[in-house]
Every structure is written in structure tokens, then in C-alpha cells.
């Protein structure tokens, strides 16, 4: 039904052609615009992610540097009073009180460094390693840390072995109710340069997360920091800070891209990837955590890696909604253009419809249909004017043809009458000739007989009889001549009539 309607309606076909051309141009323009807009958004998102990475690294490094400098300041006090073990608690307490990022400080020495103590620990920390860093935080003194001697713990063994300052991996699952920690360890060296103890400064991982996560790359994005063993140092999910590592999460998240990105982060690589998590597409930008070079600061690489994670919806959500909105507007606009152009074209083509009907009636013999005048100066107006002139010309010619037909009919009647007259004249001529010939036969026969008589008997015939025969021949010849003269006169009279008639 619709194809038939389209094939029979010129205005609808023209509207559809115009709409198709507009749709093609619009789609090409929108495709180019959306492509470059998407590229620009992606590049902007990458720049924002890189800036967030820099801000994250800067924020974390500022905290670490603050902790390192505080530990360095106390270190020299400890070195100056190694012979006063009772002062160690004072230095440890001062460390916690003076730096809000520090939740605990332990000053420990190797066994029997002080002869009266097999193990010596001056340990002060905020209660529960609370991340509420303020002056009113309750400080707690302890002689032990976790459930084993400090000599067996990494924050003691590593700096004692290395002989220089270092940061430990996050301390988790220590069978305490305390928050997980990351510890800066500074070995205490005697005059001979040998390690005799450690100043260990604890920073709550949750505190780092709270500070770093304040700089969000997008409404639902976040930053994260991984230790070299894959443990989370910064992450918005507190459960991951206390229990999980990025490797234990492999069991839950099966997206290969996420596993590859996590391995790359642990290996200290930089990169960008996208992956599916919770049935949603995410982007991640990551790079190694590099500390700023400061005079007197150890330059050892921590093996940490920082990453920025954000859902695609945060970056492309408004863009996709804009795409749908623009496509919807374009679709509605095309429909309106088809309708309006169809109405406009139909209105413009009304004279053609009228001319079509007029041509149909003219083809059926109705030459009197009136073609109205037009004020349009375009091609359709000119066509209507020419069609009107053509109609007038046709009507005029038809009238002339009718007049000529009437004249031809009258002339035909005259010709028919003349033909009848001519036929009658021919009949009369024929009868006249027949009569004349009949009248000439007798004298001619008599003349022939007299001639034969003379020819056959001229030896025996008398002169008187010959004279009689000659007189008879003369009389019959005269009769024939008179008849021929009469025929000639009749023919001349008829010829004169015809010439006069012509």
C-alpha cells in the first residue's frame, strides 16, 4: 500500500528524496562530529587521569616525606641519647604527637643492647591506630607489637639487614584489632656504622586512603596504590585494605584485562587498559610510584604503583546521552521535514494536478474546461500559462475545424449534386449519341448499298440509273453530314457550358 502511494504521489517522492539527502548529510556530519568529540573526550579523560595520578603521587609523597622528615628529626635525638633508654619513650611520644599522619612510633634495639633488657621497645601509638588525627587522640604505651617478638617482624629485620631507611609492605592480618599499617623504618647506627636498633614510624593505610581519595578523577572514580606484593595501600573499599590483595581478587574478577593490568602494576610498568567489572566497563591508568628527590632522602624504589580507575559512564555517560538526544532530535527533525516538505511540495504542485485533470478531460474530448490564470512566475506558473494558451489555441483550432467541416459538408453536397448532374448529362450524351448513330446507320447502309450497286454494275448500268444512284448517294451523304454537323454543334455547346461553369 505504501509503495503504491509513494509511486503515485510526486510530492511524497520528492519529500523522501530530500529527506534521504538530508539524512545522509546529517549522518555523515554527526558521525564526524561524534568521532572527533569522542576522541577529544577520551584525550581529556586521559589528561585528567594523568593529572589525578600526579596529584595522587604528590599527596602520598608529601605524607611520606613528612613522616620521613619527622623520623629523621627524632633520629638525631635518639643518637645523641643512646645511653638514656628512659628518654626513648619521650621521643616516641613526641613523634606521634607532632605529626598527625603518624599513628604509632616504636624505638627498638637489638637484644641486650641495654644489658638489663633482652628486648627493649619504646612504643607509643594512638588507640587502635585510629585515623582520627587530632590532639585529643588517646595515646597508648605498649612493650610489644602484635603477637610475636619485634625481632621477628619485617619492620625490624629489613632495616637491620639493609642498613638504610626503607618502607615496609602493608602490615595486615596481625591478629589484632588495629588498622593495617605501612611503616617507615630507620636503622639506628652506632659510631662504627653498625645497626643497633630501629626507629619505626607507623602510618595508617586508611588515613592515606582518605587523603588520597579526596582527589577523585570522576564522580565514581577513585585512586589506588599497590605495594610491591600486590597489597592495597590506598583503596576506597576498606575490606580490600584489611584483607585482600590484587592477586586474591583474581579469583573474583575474571576479566583478563584487569589481571594483566594488575600484573603490570606490580611489575612497575605504566599503561592504560579497560576492563569489565560488575557488568560495567571501566578504564584504568597506572604508573610506578616515584618519590621526589630530596636532599638526604633515600632514593630506593619502593616498588609501589599508583593507578586511577573510573567507569566509562563517568566519561562517556553525558556524551552517550547527548548522542541519543541529538539522534532523537535529528530523527524527529527528519520526520517533520518529510511532513512539511510533503505539504509544501503538494501545495506547490496543485497546479500540476489541475493541469493533469484538464489534460485528461481534453483527451476525452472536453475542450471547454477553463484553465485559471496564475500569478506565479516560476516554471509551474509558466507551464500553466502555456497550457492555458495551448487550450485556447486548441479550442480556436477546433472551432476552425468545425467551420471547415461544415464548409466541406456544403461543398460535398454541391459536388454530389454536380456529380448527379454530370451523370445525367453523360446519360443524355450517351442517349443522344446512340440516337444520332442510330439515325446515321440507315443512310450509311443505304449509301453503302448504292455505292456497291455502282461498283458492281457500272458496266451494265444505264446512265439514267447511274444518275439516280449518284443522286441517292448524294442525298444520303448530305443526311449524314447534317447529322454530324448537328453532333458537332451539340458538343461545342456542351464544351462552352463546362468552360462557363469552370
Amino acid at each position: 500500500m505504501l509503495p503504491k502511494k509513494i509511486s503515485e504521489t510526486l510530492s511524497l517522492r520528492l519529500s523522501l528524496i530530500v529527506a534521504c539527502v538530508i539524512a545522509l548529510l546529517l549522518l555523515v556530519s554527526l558521525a564526524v562530529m561524534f568521532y572527533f568529540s569522542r576522541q577529544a573526550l577520551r584525550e581529556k579523560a586521559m589528561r585528567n587521569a594523568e593529572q589525578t595520578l600526579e596529584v595522587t603521587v604528590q599527596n602520598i609523597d608529601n605524607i611520606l616525606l613528612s613522616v620521613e622528615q619527622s623520623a629523621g628529626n627524632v633520629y638525631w635525638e635518639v643518637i645523641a641519647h643512646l645511653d638514656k633508654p628512659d628518654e626513648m619513650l619521650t621521643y616516641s611520644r613526641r613523634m606521634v604527637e607532632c605529626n598527625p599522619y603518624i599513628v604509632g612510633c616504636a624505638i627498638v634495639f637489638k637484644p641486650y643492647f641495654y644489658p638489663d633488657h633482652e628486648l627493649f621497645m619504646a612504643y607509643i601509638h594512638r588507640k587502635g591506630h585510629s585515623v582520627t588525627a587530632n590532639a585529643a587522640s588517646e595515646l597508648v604505651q605498649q612493650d610489644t607489637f602484635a603477637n610475636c617478638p619485634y625481632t621477628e617482624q619485617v619492620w625490624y629485620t629489613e632495616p637491620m639487614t639493609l642498613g638504610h631507611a626503607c618502607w615496609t609492605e602493608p602490615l595486615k592480618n596481625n591478629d589484632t584489632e588495629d588498622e593495617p599499617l605501612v611503616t617507615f623504618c630507620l636503622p639506628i647506627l652506632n659510631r662504627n656504622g653498625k645497626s643497633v636498633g630501629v626507629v619505626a614510624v607507623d602510618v595508617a593505610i586508611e588515613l592515606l586512603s582518605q587523603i588520597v581519595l579526596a582527589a577523585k578523577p570522576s564522580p565514581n572514580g577513585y585512586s589506588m596504590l599497590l605495594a610491591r606484593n600486590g597489597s592495597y595501600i590506598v583503596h576506597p573499599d576498606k575490606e580490600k585494605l584489611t584483607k585482600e590483595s590484587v592477586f586474591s581478587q583474581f579469583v573474583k574478577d575474571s576479566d583478563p584485562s584487569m589481571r594483566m593490568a594488575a600484573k603490570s602494576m606490580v611489575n612497575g610498568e605504566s599503561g592504560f587498559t579497560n576492563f569489565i567489572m560488575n557488568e560495567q566497563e571501566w578504564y584504568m591508568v597506572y604508573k610506578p610510584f616515584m618519590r621526589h628527590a630530596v636532599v638526604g632522602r633515600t632514593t630506593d624504589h619502593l616498588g609501589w604503583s599508583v593507578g586511577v580507575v573510573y567507569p566509562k559512564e563517568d566519561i562517556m555517560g553525558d556524551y552517550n546521552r547527548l548522542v541519543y538526544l541529538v539522534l532523537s532530535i535529528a530523527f524527529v527533525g527528519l520526520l517533520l521535514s518529510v511532513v512539511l516538505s510533503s505539504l509544501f511540495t503538494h501545495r506547490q504542485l496543485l497546479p500540476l494536478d489541475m493541469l493533469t485533470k484538464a489534460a485528461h478531460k481534453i483527451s476525452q474530448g472536453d475542450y471547454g474546461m477553463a484553465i485559471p490564470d496564475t500569478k506565479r512566475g516560476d516554471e509551474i506558473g509558466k507551464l500553466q500559462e502555456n497550457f492555458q494558451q495551448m487550450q485556447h489555441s486548441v479550442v480556436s483550432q477546433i472551432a476552425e475545424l468545425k467551420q471547415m467541416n461544415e464548409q466541406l459538408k456544403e461543398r460535398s453536397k454541391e459536388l454530389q449534386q454536380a456529380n448527379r448532374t454530370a451523370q445525367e448529362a453523360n446519360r443524355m450524351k450517351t442517349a443522344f449519341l446512340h440516337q444520332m448513330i442510330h439515325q446515321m446507320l440507315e443512310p450509311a447502309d443505304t449509301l453503302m448499298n448504292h455505292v456497291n450497286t455502282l461498283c458492281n454494275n457500272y458496266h451494265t448500268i444505264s446512265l439514267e440509273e447511274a444518275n439516280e444512284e449518284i443522286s441517292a448517294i448524294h442525298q444520303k451523304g448530305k443526311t449524314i453530314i447534317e447529322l454530324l454537323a448537328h453532333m458537332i454543334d451539340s458538343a461545342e455547346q456542351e464544351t462552352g457550358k463546362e468552360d462557363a461553369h469552370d
Side-chain angles (χ1 to χ4, degrees):
M1 187 66 181
L2 182 59
K4 183 179 180 181
K5 180 69 175 177
I6 294 175
S7 64
E8 294 178 352
T9 309
L10 177 60
S11 60
L12 184 56
R13 290 203 306 275
L14 292 176
S15 301
L16 290 177
I17 292 173
V18 172
C20 290
V21 173
I22 293 175
L24 179 61
L25 294 176
L26 185 61
L27 286 176
V28 172
S29 301
L30 289 178
V32 173
M33 182 187 70
F34 288 151
Y35 173 78
F36 287 105
S37 299
R38 188 181 183 88
Q39 292 296 109
L41 279 176
R42 188 182 181 90
E43 292 175 1
K44 182 180 179 181
M46 288 294 294
R47 289 194 300 270
N48 290 340
E50 291 174 356
Q51 292 174 359
T52 303
L53 279 177
E54 293 298 329
V55 171
T56 301
V57 170
Q58 184 65 47
N59 289 341
I60 295 175
D61 194 49
N62 288 340
I63 296 172
L64 300 184
L65 182 59
S66 171
V67 172
E68 292 172 7
Q69 290 175 342
S70 296
N73 293 335
V74 170
Y75 173 80
W76 297 111
E77 294 286 342
V78 172
I79 291 296
H81 300 88
L82 283 178
D83 57 344
K84 297 179 181 180
D86 295 338
E87 296 291 331
M88 300 304 158
L89 280 174
T90 302
Y91 301 141
S92 180
R93 182 180 297 276
R94 185 189 305 169
M95 180 80 74
V96 178
E97 290 176 342
C98 294
N99 193 321
Y101 299 128
I102 298 175
V103 295
C105 177
I107 302 176
V108 299
F109 294 91
K110 66 180 183 178
Y112 296 107
F113 178 77
Y114 294 115
D116 297 336
H117 301 280
E118 178 182 359
L119 298 177
F120 180 86
M121 170 183 281
Y123 181 36
I124 300 294
H125 67 90
R126 302 183 192 278
K127 186 176 182 180
H129 292 141
S130 172
V131 297
T132 306
N134 54 59
S137 299
E138 182 180 354
L139 301 183
V140 179
Q141 175 182 340
Q142 287 185 204
D143 296 330
T144 60
F145 181 82
N147 56 359
C148 62
Y150 65 78
T151 53
E152 299 178 9
Q153 298 185 34
V154 66
W155 57 267
Y156 173 82
T157 59
E158 188 170 345
M160 290 292 288
T161 303
L162 297 175
H164 59 75
C166 62
W167 283 88
T168 66
E169 301 299 316
L171 303 178
K172 302 179 182 181
N173 299 322
N174 52 17
D175 296 331
T176 70
E177 296 180 356
D178 296 339
E179 299 289 343
L181 307 171
V182 62
T183 304
F184 176 66
C185 308
L186 186 61
I188 302 172
L189 304 179
N190 60 14
R191 294 179 181 179
N192 298 324
K194 293 183 178 181
S195 300
V196 296
V198 174
V199 176
V201 183
D202 298 328
V203 179
I205 290 179
E206 186 178 354
L207 177 60
L208 290 178
S209 294
Q210 289 178 356
I211 295 173
V212 173
L213 293 175
K216 301 181 67 175
S218 67
N220 298 299
Y222 60 88
S223 302
M224 67 177 182
L225 181 65
L226 294 182
R228 66 165 58 93
N229 62 359
S231 297
Y232 289 104
I233 300 176
V234 172
H235 198 281
D237 188 351
K238 188 176 180 180
E239 290 296 321
K240 289 182 171 57
L241 296 177
T242 57
K243 297 179 181 180
E244 287 192 12
S245 71
V246 70
F247 299 108
S248 63
Q249 195 173 357
F250 285 167
V251 180
K252 299 180 181 179
D253 302 304
S254 59
D255 193 321
S257 299
M258 186 175 182
R259 295 197 296 271
M260 292 296 296
K263 291 180 180 179
S264 298
M265 290 182 69
V266 172
N267 292 334
E269 300 174 3
S270 300
F272 166 84
T273 189
N274 60 316
F275 57 90
I276 303 298
M277 182 173 64
N278 298 328
E279 299 182 353
Q280 187 178 9
E281 187 173 358
W282 293 71
Y283 293 150
M284 182 167 67
V285 182
Y286 54 90
K287 71 174 187 177
F289 178 82
M290 303 299 295
R291 297 187 295 171
H292 292 285
V294 178
V295 177
R297 188 182 195 186
T298 178
T299 58
D300 290 347
H301 181 50
L302 300 180
W304 296 355
S305 182
V306 63
V308 172
V309 183
Y310 51 93
K312 181 180 178 181
E313 179 66 19
D314 282 5
I315 306 302
M316 298 297 178
D318 292 338
Y319 170 82
N320 291 334
R321 286 187 287 272
L322 177 62
V323 170
Y324 296 144
L325 178 61
V326 171
L327 291 179
S328 300
I329 293 174
F331 179 74
V332 173
L334 284 175
L335 288 180
L336 288 177
S337 67
V338 170
V339 174
L340 294 178
S341 62
S342 178
L343 293 176
F344 177 77
T345 308
H346 176 72
R347 183 177 179 84
Q348 295 298 312
L349 295 180
L350 283 177
L352 289 181
D353 184 60
M354 180 267 296
L355 294 178
T356 301
K357 294 179 180 178
H360 179 69
K361 288 188 176 182
I362 290 174
S363 67
Q364 293 180 342
D366 183 4
Y367 304 103
M369 181 178 180
I371 304 297
D373 296 332
T374 179
K375 296 181 180 179
R376 297 176 56 165
D378 56 6
E379 291 80 357
I380 295 179
K382 293 178 181 179
L383 176 63
Q384 185 172 346
E385 290 178 354
N386 293 333
F387 198 91
Q388 187 183 50
Q389 294 175 2
M390 182 191 70
Q391 187 212 24
H392 292 163
S393 177
V394 169
V395 171
S396 176
Q397 291 182 8
I398 292 298
E400 292 178 1
L401 289 174
K402 286 183 178 180
Q403 183 179 1
M404 292 177 63
N405 188 39
E406 294 295 329
Q407 292 176 354
L408 288 174
K409 287 182 179 179
E410 292 295 329
R411 188 65 180 269
S412 177
K413 290 180 180 178
E414 293 177 358
L415 291 174
Q416 289 177 358
Q417 182 64 34
N419 183 44
R420 287 193 293 270
T421 303
Q423 289 179 354
E424 183 65 24
N426 288 332
R427 285 194 297 271
M428 292 176 66
K429 288 179 182 180
T430 302
F432 174 76
L433 289 174
H434 181 73
Q435 182 181 2
M436 293 301 292
I437 291 171
H438 181 70
Q439 290 178 0
M440 291 174 66
L441 284 176
E442 182 182 356
D445 290 339
T446 304
L447 181 62
M448 287 299 295
N449 290 329
H450 288 298
V451 171
N452 289 331
T453 299
L454 285 176
C455 290
N456 294 328
N457 299 311
Y458 70 91
H459 292 291
T460 59
I461 191 170
S462 66
L463 180 60
E464 184 178 356
E465 290 174 343
N467 288 335
E468 289 178 359
E469 292 293 330
I470 292 171
S471 178
I473 291 171
H474 177 73
Q475 185 65 35
K476 295 299 180 182
K478 185 180 180 180
T479 301
I480 292 172
I481 291 172
E482 290 178 353
L483 289 173
L484 289 174
H486 181 67
M487 289 178 64
I488 292 171
D489 290 339
S490 298
E492 289 178 353
Q493 291 178 1
E494 187 65 27
T495 302
K497 291 179 180 179
E498 290 180 357
D499 293 339
H501 179 73
D502 293 338

